[in-house]
Amino acid sequence: MICIGWGEYMNLTDLYYLASPCVVGFISKMKMLRPGQEPLFPDIFGTGFLVDDRGTVVTNRHVVEVFEQIPRHPQKDESPVAAIMLFVTEDKRGCQMLMVEIKGSIALETFNSSGSWFGQAVPDIGFVQLKLRETPFLSLATDDFYLQIGMDIATIGYPMGTIPLTALGKLNQVNPFIRSGIVSSLFPFPTPRPHGFTIDIMQQGGSSGSPIFSTSTSQVVGMMFGGVTESRAAQSQSASLQYTLNTNISIAEPAHLIRLALDSYVQAYPQDVSAFPTLQQLKDSYPQPSITTGLTWDSWLVRSEPT
């Protein structure tokens, strides 16, 4: 399968169309609604990206932890979480969205360093196995000095989850967002293998797990996981309110740490994917963009008023 990012230069438009099929959104298949309210789209709570052709997705540990927090269907004994993938047609006149079932997930729990460590005590990394194989995937940069302060980067994901997709009161888009910026700083300073880094793209709920690309090589140089917030206070004569604001200083896990974690995961938990459908088989089982299945979402009904 195609590995995206082996040193080729491309502009942001080409990068988006080539790399976005490797980016997945994690959704809750259940949605709690009031009686008579129609669901617009499943809730997206995180992003991830494919790192091999066996359906392995890397994301954040805190995204994987959400999997166990989502309520299950009251009648159906199945996972309440799935992944969505989006494919724009070659003529760019339509798109095909797939929902992919998840086999399982795991998160990095321990981490040791031989010297002083200036990144997270335990890197915010997790893995998800899709019930899918023969997938395209993204290349992780691992060469020395692959991260440089001031280098141009871009990220693809789902900031704010479903909110921007339904901003007009209807499903007005389904594609993930591409955003661009620069590497702002390295932990603890410029070094061949930084312990972490910051970028000037705002971290928002749903963008956790988004891949960060070098725009000069198209390789993945890191993954978004958190941001620096600014504390504010509002004061009146009778009350005060403490609140925080997101800033454009977002923190990321570097690609070489993701590669180390991925190698350990593959060695410790080898996956037999032979029974899973190939990506092409799954795409063939879905309708073409010009055809609809009349798909409806399961939803829970909740009372509009307490009894």
Side-chain angles (χ1 to χ4, degrees):
M1 296 303 298
I2 296 176
C3 177
I4 311 302
W6 282 107
E8 64 266 33
Y9 173 81
M10 59 186 69
N11 59 39
L12 290 181
T13 299
D14 292 339
L15 174 64
Y16 181 81
Y17 284 115
L18 191 62
S20 60
C22 304
V23 176
V24 307
F26 293 113
I27 64 169
S28 169
K29 293 191 288 184
M30 299 298 302
K31 191 174 181 70
M32 297 183 67
L33 299 169
R34 298 185 182 280
Q37 183 180 356
E38 293 294 329
L40 296 177
F41 199 76
D43 289 331
I44 300 174
F45 60 86
T47 302
F49 58 98
L50 288 154
V51 286
D52 63 25
D53 63 357
R54 297 166 58 82
T56 304
V57 172
V58 66
T59 186
N60 293 137
R61 179 180 63 253
H62 72 263
V63 171
V64 168
E65 290 171 348
V66 174
F67 287 20
E68 300 301 322
Q69 301 170 12
I70 294 177
R72 302 179 72 88
H73 193 285
Q75 285 86 37
K76 299 178 181 179
D77 183 23
E78 60 182 30
S79 171
V81 178
I84 56 171
M85 302 175 67
L86 194 75
F87 300 89
V88 177
T89 57
E90 291 186 7
D91 61 6
K92 297 182 175 61
R93 294 179 180 271
C95 66
Q96 184 181 35
M97 189 181 74
L98 307 182
M99 186 179 79
V100 187
E101 296 294 335
I102 291 172
K103 178 185 178 183
S105 60
I106 194 169
L108 184 66
E109 296 181 350
T110 61
F111 176 79
N112 294 308
S113 174
S114 59
S116 298
W117 183 252
F118 298 90
Q120 286 210 98
V122 179
D124 197 344
I125 298 172
F127 297 99
V128 178
Q129 177 63 56
L130 302 183
K131 291 185 177 180
L132 195 64
R133 58 188 175 92
E134 296 187 18
T135 60
F137 60 96
L138 301 177
S139 169
L140 296 167
T142 57
D143 292 340
D144 286 351
F145 297 105
Y146 69 89
L147 279 168
Q148 297 283 346
I149 294 174
M151 67 183 286
D152 292 325
I153 51 93
T155 182
I156 300 176
Y158 290 94
M160 293 188 287
T162 312
I163 294 174
L165 309 187
T166 57
L168 303 181
K170 58 184 177 181
L171 184 61
N172 45 267
Q173 71 173 76
V174 292
N175 52 287
F177 290 78
I178 185 168
R179 298 182 291 169
S180 64
I182 62 169
V183 171
S184 299
S185 67
L186 302 177
F187 300 168
F189 45 72
T191 180
R193 299 294 179 95
H195 300 182
F197 65 107
T198 66
I199 60 175
D200 71 335
I201 297 174
M202 185 179 292
Q203 167 74 12
Q204 295 163 297
S207 62
S208 294
S210 297
I212 301 169
F213 302 89
S214 162
T215 58
S216 64
T217 68
S218 73
Q219 285 188 304
V220 172
V221 296
M223 174 174 63
M224 296 184 72
F225 79 83
V228 177
T229 58
E230 180 183 1
S231 297
R232 293 282 187 91
Q235 185 74 42
S236 70
Q237 291 183 347
S238 58
S240 63
L241 174 66
Q242 299 288 331
Y243 63 98
T244 59
L245 296 175
N246 286 345
T247 71
N248 262 37
I249 302 177
S250 295
I251 310 175
E253 298 289 7
H256 69 275
L257 287 184
I258 299 172
R259 168 53 65 185
L260 289 173
L262 174 62
D263 291 343
S264 297
Y265 163 72
V266 171
Q267 183 177 5
Y269 302 97
Q271 302 292 317
D272 180 6
V273 300
S274 59
F276 298 156
T278 67
L279 174 60
Q280 189 58 54
Q281 288 172 333
L282 187 61
K283 291 178 71 173
D284 291 344
S285 70
Y286 273 68
Q288 295 302 306
S290 59
I291 306 173
T292 179
T293 59
L295 178 67
T296 59
W297 303 104
D298 280 343
S299 60
W300 289 355
L301 299 181
V302 297
R303 296 181 183 277
S304 57
E305 297 179 356
T307 56

